[in-house]
Amino acid sequence: MPVLRQARRSGLLNDLFRIGYGRHWGCFETKAAAIAFLAGRPRADYDDDEIVQVNLEKFKEVQAFDWPVMFFIDRLIRAGELSAVTDFGGHVGVKYYAYGTYLTYPEGLRWQVVDVPAVCREGIAQRPGWASALSFHETLGETMPCDLLFCSGSLQYADQSLSQIVSHLPQRPRHIILNKVALAPSSGFFTLESFGRGRMPYRVFGEGELVEFRNALGYALLARWDIPDRNFVVPGRSGARAVKVVGEAWLRR
């Protein structure tokens, strides 16, 4: 009913029953505050054998937002500058499979997926014999040096900052590609994303945070692309906040 829907959007029922409205709800200053809001309500986590299977086949398909990434990866391949990729939060190697439909990977390529234990277990179980380039690691420290750090839709779920991620690599890569990064016009915040029966903390970065990360790490911006069909609005107790989703390609100075 309209009155009840408005009450949920306004945050009155959310504060009372600790539930969310829609796919994303709530604006919290910290991840801890977002988790505390759930107050015993179901919480989702990617380190879960059931969650790993959600939308799995869809993830293995090339989407519109993948084409800019494939463009840059193809350039690196043609220039002979791609021998190893570290795919942070790469699920079961979904982008390795998807991009391989259109790109010819160089001989000897290493595609190193770093993800949580449940995802790594499933990735190893699903890996076909021909995918010898694909390996799975639970920590960044297990990986070999890479030419490209690739983060596709993973930064919003990570406990580490991008600076921490890079610092845990064996060496700083020449290229970084970020895709599906959620940005707010001003300051960043955390929200709760509906995921199956539970909710998962989701980080929205401030517009200036990516610039700060890039400058602090010593990278230059090569390109940026908008992903308008992924933009969303986050309702909260103090009003709604618009979020846009973008991708960026960086080159080490």
Side-chain angles (χ1 to χ4, degrees):
M1 297 177 65
V3 173
L4 290 178
R5 282 199 297 269
Q6 182 58 37
R8 292 188 71 186
R9 288 192 180 98
S10 70
L12 297 176
L13 295 182
N14 286 284
D15 286 337
L16 181 62
F17 296 109
R18 299 300 187 191
I19 56 178
Y21 180 87
R23 181 173 179 183
H24 296 90
W25 194 90
C27 302
F28 307 91
E29 290 189 9
T30 66
K31 185 175 184 178
I35 294 172
F37 174 84
L38 293 175
R41 306 289 296 187
R43 179 184 168 190
D45 190 288
Y46 262 113
D47 196 9
D48 182 315
D49 292 329
E50 292 185 7
I51 293 293
V52 174
Q53 302 299 327
V54 174
N55 293 328
L56 184 54
E57 294 308 313
K58 189 72 174 178
F59 291 159
K60 291 182 179 180
E61 299 175 0
V62 172
Q63 308 295 328
F65 53 72
D66 287 313
W67 289 101
V69 176
M70 291 168 59
F71 169 80
F72 280 101
I73 290 180
D74 185 57
R75 282 182 58 179
L76 294 178
I77 292 173
R78 292 176 183 273
E81 297 179 1
L82 191 69
S83 60
V85 176
T86 294
D87 187 356
F88 180 77
H91 211 265
V92 298
V94 289
K95 296 308 178 185
Y96 171 81
Y97 295 124
Y99 298 170
T101 306
Y102 297 93
L103 302 177
T104 301
Y105 293 137
E107 186 175 351
L109 174 71
R110 297 194 311 274
W111 191 291
Q112 307 171 123
V113 171
V114 179
D115 218 309
V116 294
V119 173
C120 289
R121 287 194 301 270
E122 185 65 23
I124 292 170
Q126 288 193 17
R127 181 178 53 196
W130 53 263
S132 58
L134 194 58
S135 61
F136 294 89
H137 312 270
E138 294 180 16
T139 67
L140 290 157
E142 299 173 11
T143 63
M144 299 290 287
C146 66
D147 309 296
L148 169 64
L149 171 63
F150 179 36
C151 305
S152 180
S154 55
L155 290 182
Q156 54 264 47
Y157 305 110
D159 290 327
Q160 311 102 305
S161 69
L162 183 58
S163 297
Q164 291 171 322
I165 291 169
V166 172
S167 71
H168 290 144
L169 292 170
Q171 66 183 40
R172 195 163 51 115
R174 188 158 191 261
H175 300 270
I176 294 178
I177 295 179
L178 311 176
N179 209 21
K180 295 191 293 179
V181 181
L183 293 181
S186 54
S187 60
F189 61 94
F190 285 84
T191 186
L192 290 166
E193 180 183 18
S194 179
F195 217 92
R197 291 175 295 177
R199 286 193 168 262
M200 186 181 299
Y202 182 106
R203 183 174 181 179
V204 177
F205 293 86
E207 180 71 42
E209 287 186 84
L210 283 190
V211 178
E212 292 175 3
F213 284 138
R214 190 169 65 240
N215 291 338
L217 290 168
Y219 286 81
L221 179 66
L222 290 179
R224 176 172 177 167
W225 52 94
D226 293 329
I227 310 175
D229 63 323
R230 291 289 171 131
N231 295 349
F232 57 94
V233 174
V234 179
R237 61 171 65 91
S238 58
R241 297 183 66 173
V243 176
K244 65 179 179 181
V245 180
V246 306
E248 291 190 351
W250 301 357
L251 174 66
R252 191 181 68 214
R253 292 195 181 98

